[in-house]
């Protein structure tokens, strides 16, 4: 199977789930289901595609945010644009982001190692 055939299959599934959600039957089912049933029903149908979209858009936004934090560090050329305190104790933003990423991903590394055992 090629990429286009797989893409066409998933687009057909997602459009069918979208059409199914806007029917009166789904509205009536949503009125009689309890919250856990409604959430599992939602995720099994169109909620899956919405969560995948949010995850796929969230990762580039997070990387952009990290890039903006790293770029906005005080430098000699940008000293007139912001309040830059020249302390030796102040960490550069790149060092802060490196520490945050190493802390997060070292925890994830332990999780994945434990999951493979």
């Amino acid at each position: 199977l090629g990429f286009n055939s797989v893409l066409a299959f998933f687009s057909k599934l997602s459009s069918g789930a979208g059409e199914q959600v806007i029917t009166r039957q789904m509205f009536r089912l949503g009125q009689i289901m309890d919250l856990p049933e409604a959430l599992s029903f939602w995720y099994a149908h169109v909620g899956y595609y919405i969560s995948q979209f949010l995850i796929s858009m969230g990762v580039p936004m997070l990387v952009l945010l990290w890039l903006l934090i790293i770029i906005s560090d005080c430098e000699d050329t940008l000293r007139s644009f912001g309040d830059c305190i020249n302390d030796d104790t102040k960490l550069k933003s790149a060092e802060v982001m490196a520490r945050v990423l190493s802390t997060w991903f070292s925890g994830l590394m332990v999780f994945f190692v434990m999951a493979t055992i």
Side-chain angles (χ1 to χ4, degrees):
L1 292 176
F3 178 73
N4 288 333
S5 62
V6 172
L7 182 65
F9 175 71
F10 276 106
S11 66
K12 190 172 187 172
L13 284 178
S14 62
S15 64
E19 289 290 326
Q20 185 181 20
V21 167
I22 61 174
T23 62
R24 275 185 279 165
Q25 289 177 335
M26 295 302 125
F27 176 71
R28 291 181 183 145
L29 277 175
Q31 287 179 336
I32 62 171
M33 283 193 280
D34 295 333
L35 183 62
E37 293 172 344
L39 290 176
S40 64
F41 184 78
W42 171 258
Y43 185 74
H45 288 77
V46 77
Y48 171 76
Y49 300 105
I50 291 175
S51 68
Q52 292 299 315
F53 172 74
L54 291 176
I55 289 171
S56 66
M57 292 306 291
V59 171
M61 292 298 161
L62 187 63
V63 169
L64 178 66
L65 177 70
W66 288 342
L67 182 65
L68 288 176
I69 289 171
I70 291 172
I71 289 174
S72 69
D73 196 20
C74 291
E75 295 177 355
D76 293 336
T77 58
L78 301 174
R79 196 165 296 282
S80 61
F81 293 110
D83 295 331
C84 296
I85 301 170
N86 196 1
D87 286 4
D88 290 333
T89 60
K90 182 180 176 187
L91 293 174
K92 298 283 186 185
S93 61
E95 293 174 5
V96 171
M97 289 306 295
R99 287 184 182 183
V100 167
L101 290 175
S102 67
T103 303
W104 286 358
F105 288 122
S106 63
L108 281 175
M109 177 82 87
V110 170
F111 175 73
F112 284 118
V113 166
M114 294 303 290
T116 58
I117 294 177

